[in-house]
Amino acid sequence: PSPVGRYHGINGGLVVAWLNFYHFRTPGTQVMDNATVVLDEIGEVQPDALMRILPSKGGQTRDLGKFIAGAPEFIVEIVDSSRDLDLGPKLAEYERAGALEYVVFALDPDEVFWHVRQGDRLVRVEPGVGGLFRSKFFPGLWLDPSALFDDNGLALIEALDRGLATAEHADFVAQLATR
């Protein structure tokens, strides 16, 4: 395996905590850390983190033995030395397979590359009001990138809490409950 540095580990822990905090408040979702994903007959990946809508709730993945199959709705990669790979061939692979959102947390320099599906493409979006990223497909999943890169878990969760308090998130939870 390739060596993973300290900053990758710190940010990876925060990302998984951020996603799990959302998952705890959004029944019908599931978070995985470094799980193998069989995208299709030609692609297999192991993203740093992912969140999916469970198959029983209408998600686009399915269980395949010990693995999941199909493109997860939300994929995260944390990159240090592999920026070109993750923003090039890997982005193209996730786009081809049908991922809905693909987020790359790049280290040194610290940058967020948030991609959202528009038609058959994953298109990069910029943060919105207050410098926050807001998920298109997981309502209420808000990210304060400064909090992430500053290792400020409290500020990271405070931004997420504001997203979780929105009517859009409540509507999404209600939709998942009826599926």
Side-chain angles (χ1 to χ4, degrees):
S2 63
V4 175
R6 181 168 43 101
Y7 293 121
H8 185 286
I10 291 167
N11 286 287
L14 282 171
V15 165
V16 170
W18 169 66
L19 290 175
N20 268 314
F21 196 86
Y22 180 87
H23 155 69
F24 297 150
R25 303 271 302 275
T26 315
T29 64
Q30 185 176 59
V31 173
M32 295 183 190
D33 175 24
N34 282 299
T36 298
V37 178
V38 179
L39 293 172
D40 53 25
E41 61 280 345
I42 60 173
E44 183 179 294
V45 292
Q46 188 176 344
D48 289 314
L50 67 87
M51 185 163 53
R52 69 179 182 156
I53 297 171
L54 291 170
S56 63
K57 297 295 182 180
Q60 62 184 33
T61 61
R62 68 185 190 289
D63 296 331
L64 182 66
K66 297 188 305 185
F67 307 111
I68 65 169
E73 287 82 4
F74 194 92
I75 301 165
V76 176
E77 293 287 1
I78 300 161
V79 303
D80 194 0
S81 60
S82 63
R83 189 180 294 231
D84 291 340
L85 172 68
D86 289 272
L87 293 172
K90 204 176 274 189
L91 170 63
E93 185 78 355
Y94 289 133
E95 182 177 79
R96 179 194 59 73
L100 300 181
E101 288 183 270
Y102 176 53
V103 181
V104 175
F105 294 103
L107 309 174
D108 195 27
D110 295 342
E111 296 179 86
V112 175
F113 298 88
W114 194 299
H115 302 86
V116 173
R117 177 150 304 273
Q118 292 180 7
D120 63 349
R121 304 288 321 266
L122 283 171
V123 177
R124 184 173 176 196
V125 297
E126 296 297 326
V129 176
L132 300 179
F133 286 96
R134 291 167 174 85
S135 173
K136 178 179 179 182
F137 294 99
F138 286 90
L141 182 62
W142 291 9
L143 173 75
D144 177 347
S146 297
L148 177 76
F149 291 125
D150 291 343
D151 191 18
N152 186 341
L154 182 58
L156 188 69
I157 297 306
E158 285 173 350
L160 180 56
D161 269 339
R162 291 194 307 274
L164 291 169
T166 62
E168 293 82 11
H169 180 257
D171 291 346
F172 183 56
V173 169
Q175 288 173 9
L176 289 173
T178 63
R179 293 182 185 172

